[in-house]
Amino acid sequence: MREAGDDERDEDAAEAASTPAADEPEAESFAVPTETESDRETAWRRALAEAGELTPGVVDAVATIHGNRGMRAIEAVSEGRVKRYRDFTVVVGYAEEYVVEDGGCTCKDSSYNLDTEDDDQRCWHVLAAAVAERIGELDRHDMWYSDVRDFL
């Protein structure tokens, strides 16, 4: 026999089951979307999200498609240089921090060097954010980057 409050507990349990754990990446919150104009890039992002870790196949794909930029991205992730704030994902570069949002970046490489006609070209900051998001290797900060930026 069901008792008073059982419906509430059932609803709470259903909500908890459908809510990702705090360390689990949420697809909707990715600063770098999984789907791209490049089938090859979309494939490695999907494989990475499925595996939840860097696999030799994904590392090979990132290196093959993105070359030195891809390797610098993996290095940045392994060094913990991808930060998630309330408002932005930020990648710590060698001289500055770069905001990555909606698959784009504030760096000069993105602005001046990348061929806009080549769907496989991304700056290493965007690649690092894409990797870190899918394997849960984000240095999370419960604050607004716009507030932190004022101190830098």
Side-chain angles (χ1 to χ4, degrees), residues 1-11:
M1 172 176 223
R2 295 184 61 87
E3 295 186 21
D6 282 350
D7 290 336
E8 248 178 66
R9 282 191 291 269
D10 290 346
E11 287 175 17

Side-chain angles (χ1 to χ4, degrees), residues 42-92:
T42 297
W44 73 252
R45 289 183 188 185
R46 283 182 183 164
L48 190 59
E50 264 183 44
E53 64 182 1
L54 278 169
T55 62
V58 170
V59 171
D60 185 52
V62 171
T64 299
I65 297 167
H66 302 290
N68 188 47
R69 287 184 180 112
M71 295 314 298
R72 287 177 72 185
I74 291 170
E75 177 184 306
V77 172
S78 71
E79 293 173 355
R81 293 191 281 135
V82 183
K83 302 177 182 181
R84 169 68 55 85
Y85 292 89
R86 289 181 184 171
D87 48 355
F88 295 112
T89 297
V90 174
V91 177
V92 179

Side-chain angles (χ1 to χ4, degrees), residues 14-63:
E15 183 178 330
S18 67
T19 304
D23 61 345
E24 220 175 276
E26 288 184 56
E28 299 89 40
S29 67
F30 286 165
V32 180
T34 300
E35 302 301 315
T36 71
E37 297 296 320
S38 166
D39 291 340
R40 297 184 325 154
E41 188 169 1
T42 297
W44 73 252
R45 289 183 188 185
R46 283 182 183 164
L48 190 59
E50 264 183 44
E53 64 182 1
L54 278 169
T55 62
V58 170
V59 171
D60 185 52
V62 171

